[in-house]
Amino acid sequence: MLKLPTWSSIEQHAKTAKDFQLVKLFEDDPARAETFRLHCAGLHLDFSKNLISEQTQKLFCALGEEAKILDSAQAMVTGELVNASESRAALHTLLRTPHGEQPKQLDSNASQVSDALKQMKSISGRLRDGDWRGHRDNKITDIVHIGIGGSYLGPSMVDEALTTEALPADTSNNIACHYVANVDGHHIHQTLASLNPDTTVIIVVSKSFTTMETMLNGKTAKKWLEDAMPASALQHHLIAITSNISAAESYGALAENILPMWDWVGGRYSVWSAVGLPIAIRYGFDKFNELLEGARQMDKHFLESDLSENMPFVLAWLGIWYQQFFSVTTHAVIPYDHGLRNFSEHLQQLDMESNGKRVTAMGEQVACDTAPVVWGGEGSNGQHAYHQLLHQGTRQVTVDFILPMQPRHPLTEHHDQLVASCLSQSQALMVGRSRQQMPNLEPKLAAQKEMPGNRPSNTIVVDKMSPYSLGALIALYEHKVFCQAMLWQINPFDQWGVELGKELGDNIFDAIKGDAIAGDAIELDGSTESLLRHYLALRAKT
Ligand code: F6P
């Protein structure tokens, strides 16, 4: 990015932009809110409360052209090996492309996607209709979805986000979905304790089918089934979603109950695949299709819109602008929607596992900050907690507010208050409160009450939260992360940084299993060794 010709012009421009005052920018241009606004797939991005001018946008669009962002996007969606370090394609967009509309060279991949969708439709339909029976011929009432990272965050977040989706009048086919990720035994233990094995199906989701947490939780869940039924009955209670078919069969799932994952779809982009099966089970396959359709519309917008009107690209360059020139290192995503209360967890994996990297795809040091620390939580709860820091803290934090316009409940006054809360927060960040506005206060107190203002934010207005708009929203952030990666010239589709911890974890686990730091067979630093010895000593007593 820093080597692209327009970058030096952006640096020059930033010197004047540092003096931008948001309130003044609005005074000078009454049409500003219209200028910096985009629409797509039921989402409206208001990015007018940013420290930018039309010149800023023009320069970043030129930078995006130089970086050939849209050419790179084409390379991604047409199946080039954009994940070069693993020699893989990144074809999550194909998962939401209607069969027949794919590029010719992806015919075989598209057929696999289509077959997987049929399998999802059939399994989710049978479970919902009560045709899938437990070993005692009971209807299935509960699903336990076991997975971690992308095999967990996407489906659990979407499920939670749609909780308030109107369910069919006949709710007799509702199935409760429980999600277990953590290897902390409390989670699986508590989840299973409340369920009846005769009416429960376990879904083990792991692309590799080797991930420690998922394998152990899967083993524990299988043991729970085995304790309640003969081995021959397990097949009625197990589904696996993986690219490692033989391991899933050894685990005990019938071939027809194993759904595919592919090495050409990254875990954090996999909610659109069979990984999203619980969504189809809980809400019906049509709703799952609506989710895909929303994402599809965002894909089309991203691939076909000019960079100046390209929502993902706009979010991408704004992030880079603040990191580079305003020392912003953390980005908060604050949805004013209870269903999206864990949206930022999904974004953390998407953004930080994709772009939390320090070298380019060519192995060179990146000469600037890459992925921000992404965090957030639901509004208005945060207003009574961390918003203090957003308004008066020493650190600059950029914020995306997400605001659905129509509620999915009948309590109008609640929604009016929610909307007022959200709008007032971005307004307060922008306008602040000066000491001059508090002339009667003694200076010491006035200093503490002063709010600097001029703090930027985006507001993403959603007409109404639905599977369609949620699909568009998730895809918006996927493409934002992709654009930033292209500007930083890093590979967003690998995650080598998580490997070392896994290897060291295996070593330490072996030492624990051997109940000793066997002949000092593993090399440990003083701190880790002393912590481990402490654990072993306690473990020996229990
Ligand atoms: O450890 C990181 C990671 O590989 C993620 O990228 C992935 O989503 C997660 O682990 C789970 O992997 P799997 O689906 O193979 O169990």
Side-chain angles (χ1 to χ4, degrees):
M1 174 179 80
L2 303 179
K3 292 182 193 149
L4 294 170
T6 301
W7 188 249
S8 55
S9 311
I10 293 178
E11 284 178 315
Q12 278 305 319
H13 170 67
K15 288 182 187 155
T16 43
K18 287 201 162 176
D19 296 329
F20 282 166
Q21 291 296 317
L22 285 170
V23 172
K24 175 96 173 48
L25 291 174
F26 275 95
E27 279 167 9
D28 292 349
D29 178 10
R32 183 178 169 85
E34 293 308 316
T35 307
F36 296 114
R37 176 177 296 193
L38 291 171
H39 311 273
C40 169
L43 307 185
H44 312 274
L45 169 65
D46 174 353
F47 62 109
S48 61
K49 291 193 186 86
N50 277 295
L51 295 161
I52 57 167
S53 65
E54 289 184 65
Q55 175 67 359
T56 324
Q57 182 167 24
K58 217 177 271 172
L59 285 168
F60 270 104
C61 287
L63 189 80
E65 298 290 348
E66 284 167 4
K68 299 191 172 31
I69 293 275
L70 293 180
D71 291 351
S72 304
Q74 277 302 332
M76 173 177 71
V77 302
T78 53
E80 284 184 32
L81 302 183
V82 290
N83 178 359
S85 71
E86 297 182 297
S87 291
R88 290 175 179 176
L91 280 171
H92 42 288
T93 50
L94 185 69
L95 303 174
R96 50 233 193 184
T97 302
H99 194 42
E101 289 181 26
Q102 72 281 356
K104 190 85 198 90
Q105 68 274 27
L106 299 180
D107 281 358
S108 147
N109 309 61
S111 296
Q112 294 173 52
V113 171
S114 166
D115 289 347
L117 286 171
K118 282 182 199 141
Q119 207 181 351
M120 281 177 79
K121 186 174 181 182
S122 158
I123 291 179
S124 59
R126 282 169 52 221
L127 281 162
R128 287 169 62 81
D129 295 346
D131 294 340
W132 177 309
R133 312 299 288 183
H135 75 114
R136 286 188 209 279
D137 203 31
N138 291 320
K139 183 187 181 309
I140 299 301
T141 55
D142 295 88
I143 295 292
V144 180
H145 175 114
I146 295 174
I148 199 163
S151 296
Y152 154 75
L153 288 163
S156 61
M157 179 274 290
V158 170
D159 187 346
E160 196 168 71
L162 299 181
T163 310
T164 42
E165 184 67 8
L167 290 167
D170 172 13
T171 52
S172 59
N173 59 1
N174 283 350
I175 295 178
C177 296
H178 314 265
Y179 297 85
V180 177
N182 199 331
V183 75
D184 181 341
H186 291 105
H187 198 179
I188 187 87
H189 181 71
Q190 282 168 4
T191 304
L192 297 179
S194 64
L195 301 176
N196 174 359
D198 294 345
T199 57
T200 300
V201 165
I202 306 290
I203 308 182
V204 179
V205 189
S206 173
K207 188 156 94 170
S208 56
F209 228 77
T210 58
T211 304
M212 177 274 288
E213 292 89 340
T214 305
M215 292 303 100
L216 186 50
N217 281 324
K219 182 171 138 189
T220 301
K222 186 175 165 186
K223 169 86 174 52
W224 176 74
L225 292 176
E226 282 167 343
D227 288 348
M229 61 188 73
S232 59
L234 289 186
Q235 54 182 296
H236 302 287
H237 297 269
L238 289 179
I239 293 175
I241 301 171
T242 184
S243 62
N244 188 348
I245 309 294
S246 56
E249 281 175 343
S250 309
Y251 177 69
L254 282 188
E256 70 230 45
N257 297 330
I258 300 174
L259 293 93
M261 291 175 81
W262 304 280
D263 69 3
W264 36 269
V265 177
R268 49 195 174 272
Y269 304 89
S270 65
V271 65
W272 322 101
S273 71
V275 172
L277 181 65
I279 301 157
I281 294 173
R282 179 111 192 263
Y283 299 99
F285 188 73
D286 288 349
K287 298 278 180 193
F288 183 73
N289 253 335
E290 285 173 32
L291 183 84
L292 298 185
E293 181 51 26
R296 166 80 176 151
Q297 287 312 314
M298 185 54 72
D299 294 343
K300 286 174 87 163
H301 165 86
F302 174 49
L303 292 165
E304 293 167 13
S305 303
D306 189 82
L307 289 181
S308 62
E309 293 172 356
N310 198 307
M311 220 187 260
F313 181 67
V314 167
L315 289 184
W317 69 255
L318 282 168
I320 288 177
W321 173 243
Y322 290 117
Q323 284 199 184
Q324 202 62 29
F325 301 111
F326 295 82
S327 309
V328 170
T329 56
T330 90
H331 181 65
V333 179
I334 306 182
Y336 277 67
D337 183 278
H338 184 60
L340 286 177
R341 59 193 173 279
N342 289 312
F343 188 51
S344 59
E345 265 193 60
H346 175 70
L347 294 185
Q348 279 174 342
Q349 191 202 17
L350 175 63
D351 203 329
M352 294 160 79
E353 197 174 56
S354 296
N355 287 346
K357 313 218 168 122
R358 39 205 283 289
V359 293
T360 67
M362 302 306 293
E364 292 164 356
Q365 195 77 30
V366 186
C368 58
D369 274 343
T370 57
V373 175
V374 178
W375 60 283
E378 66 182 310
S380 60
N381 299 17
Q383 289 175 218
H384 304 276
Y386 48 76
H387 281 227
Q388 166 62 38
L389 181 148
L390 299 183
H391 290 293
Q392 284 190 313
T394 50
R395 285 181 186 80
Q396 279 267 32
V397 180
T398 48
V399 184
D400 288 350
F401 293 103
I402 300 175
L403 178 64
M405 283 282 131
Q406 291 175 46
R408 292 172 286 176
H409 58 72
L411 307 173
T412 311
E413 191 178 348
H414 281 258
H415 198 64
D416 290 345
Q417 284 287 11
L418 186 78
V419 171
S421 300
C422 180
L423 298 183
S424 65
Q425 288 304 299
S426 60
Q427 187 188 25
L429 282 169
M430 176 170 83
V431 300
R433 184 192 282 135
S434 67
R435 287 192 207 190
Q436 293 72 36
Q437 288 172 290
M438 302 174 278
N440 301 325
L441 282 190
E442 55 152 332
K444 202 164 55 177
L445 190 55
Q448 289 171 73
K449 289 194 163 194
E450 183 182 16
M451 294 170 64
N454 211 33
R455 298 195 164 189
S457 65
N458 295 311
T459 303
I460 301 171
V461 171
V462 184
D463 285 340
K464 187 173 186 175
M465 278 309 300
S466 65
Y468 178 85
S469 51
L470 181 61
L473 188 66
I474 301 168
L476 168 64
Y477 281 98
E478 286 180 353
H479 294 318
K480 169 199 168 176
V481 166
F482 174 79
C483 290
Q484 292 191 326
M486 293 306 103
L487 289 170
W488 291 318
Q489 292 163 358
I490 60 183
N491 175 2
F493 299 115
D494 59 14
Q495 58 283 319
W496 298 108
V498 301
E499 296 305 324
L500 177 61
K502 288 184 193 174
E503 282 167 34
L504 298 181
D506 287 347
N507 290 346
I508 295 176
F509 181 63
D510 287 345
I512 292 172
K513 265 197 315 192
D515 209 14
I517 307 176
D520 294 325
I522 58 169
E523 262 183 46
L524 291 175
D525 59 273
S527 162
T528 310
E529 180 174 336
S530 127
L531 290 166
L532 183 53
R533 285 193 190 285
H534 184 60
Y535 176 64
L536 289 174
L538 277 179
R539 189 173 183 270
K541 283 189 205 154
T542 51

